[in-house]
Amino acid sequence: MSGTRSDSARRAAGQPGDYHVHTTYSDGSGTASECVEQAIAAGLCEIGIADHLSAVQPTPWDSASIPFAELDRYVAEVRGVAARYGEITVLLGVEADYVPEHEAELAKLLSAYPFDYVVGGVHVIDGFDFDDPAKRDDARWSDCDALFAANYRAVRRAAELGRFDVIAHLDYIGLWGHAAGPAVDAQIDAALDAMAMFGSAIELNTDRISDPAGVMYPSADILRRACSRGIPLVISSDAHAAEHVGRLWDEGIATAREAGYREWLRLSDRTLVPLPPG
Ligand SMILES: [Zn+2]
Ligand SMILES: [Zn+2]
């Protein structure tokens, strides 16, 4: 998918890019350079490498993370790739695991490195690593509303921390196909209110292929509610392989427009730019 007229038009327009891309520094299979080349082929103007980072290592659960000892090399490699490709803006990001108990360690870690932006992701609720396939039948799923409510409480706290430019996949807790009941509505509203107040953008995560639920995150309903609060939008692939960078991009744009969005956020200069026609 390279070299089409719409690709060059997209690049010329200074559009936002794919800011949630994993490489071999955490659990991705591609190198930063391979991901950037795919972004160029897909016609993106910007890409951000954002590998997983846990603030406490090792974690009590199984989590992918850039090892502390590799962080300097990660920064140097992404900066090196950025200098090598003049036709695209390459940003240095990270997807930090948000764990309430690790806030102090995370703040210290994030201040120690020159990240251009930080994506916050909730992958564990009260010690329950809910995306572990081995825990798909765990007894805790018998009270889905409690898990969903705890997830949105964590999102709210993450936003209130004020360290995340973007909060990823808001309802990733639904990856196995569960959904929140109406009792969770208040927690969703509180999480979105905190994002609006503290300035975290919301991510429309197009990786609906990899997870069993087969949906983009967040749901159309949450995306509409985010839009009505003026929460800035980014669209991201959450690619774990270079060929997935920019995946389902046009579908993501169409989904965002259906939710009411007409602008999205370019992270290189924190500017809202018009969303292309879906
Ligand atoms: Zn994530
Ligand atoms: Zn991710």
Side-chain angles (χ1 to χ4, degrees), residues 53-253:
L53 181 61
S54 296
V56 171
Q57 299 182 16
T59 51
W61 45 85
D62 186 23
S63 68
S65 174
I66 310 166
F68 291 149
E70 294 288 303
L71 267 164
D72 284 330
R73 208 161 62 86
Y74 173 73
V75 170
E77 182 160 335
V78 177
R79 290 288 191 231
V81 168
R84 218 159 54 238
Y85 292 90
E87 61 271 63
I88 189 167
T89 300
V90 179
L91 300 180
L92 170 68
V94 75
E95 181 186 12
D97 263 340
Y98 178 69
V99 179
E101 300 77 28
H102 299 167
E103 280 182 6
E105 293 89 343
L106 181 63
K108 200 167 153 199
L109 190 58
L110 294 178
S111 325
Y113 293 88
F115 300 120
D116 295 321
Y117 67 96
V118 180
V119 177
V122 174
H123 304 96
V124 175
I125 299 290
D126 298 330
F128 178 36
D129 45 345
F130 56 81
D131 62 351
D132 181 349
K135 293 175 184 157
R136 194 170 172 170
D137 297 319
D138 190 281
R140 280 169 281 197
W141 289 113
S142 63
D143 189 353
C144 273
D145 277 4
L147 279 179
F148 274 78
N151 173 71
Y152 294 115
R153 276 196 299 275
V155 170
R156 177 186 176 174
R157 283 190 63 164
E160 289 170 348
L161 193 62
R163 299 300 300 243
F164 300 123
D165 301 284
V166 179
I167 296 189
H169 47 61
L170 242 67
D171 47 6
Y172 179 52
I173 184 85
L175 85 158
W176 302 115
H178 304 99
V184 184
D185 256 9
Q187 273 83 22
I188 295 174
D189 281 333
L192 293 171
D193 287 344
M195 289 174 70
M197 181 174 296
F198 288 86
S200 292
I202 192 167
E203 171 193 84
L204 174 58
N205 185 309
T206 66
D207 186 21
R208 67 168 170 73
I209 309 295
S210 309
D211 287 334
V215 295
M216 291 188 182
Y217 306 104
S219 67
D221 175 54
I222 291 180
L223 202 56
R224 271 193 300 273
R225 287 152 78 173
C227 180
S228 72
R229 285 169 168 82
I231 297 173
L233 170 78
V234 299
I235 299 178
S236 301
S237 68
D238 203 351
H240 284 74
E243 61 267 30
H244 296 163
V245 172
R247 185 160 65 164
L248 298 180
W249 208 241
D250 292 336
E251 193 176 317
I253 289 169

Side-chain angles (χ1 to χ4, degrees), residues 255-273:
T255 301
R257 291 189 72 87
E258 277 165 30
Y261 275 101
R262 295 295 177 266
E263 294 178 315
W264 54 342
L265 182 64
R266 187 169 60 208
L267 275 181
S268 59
D269 57 359
R270 302 296 200 273
T271 298
L272 288 172
V273 303

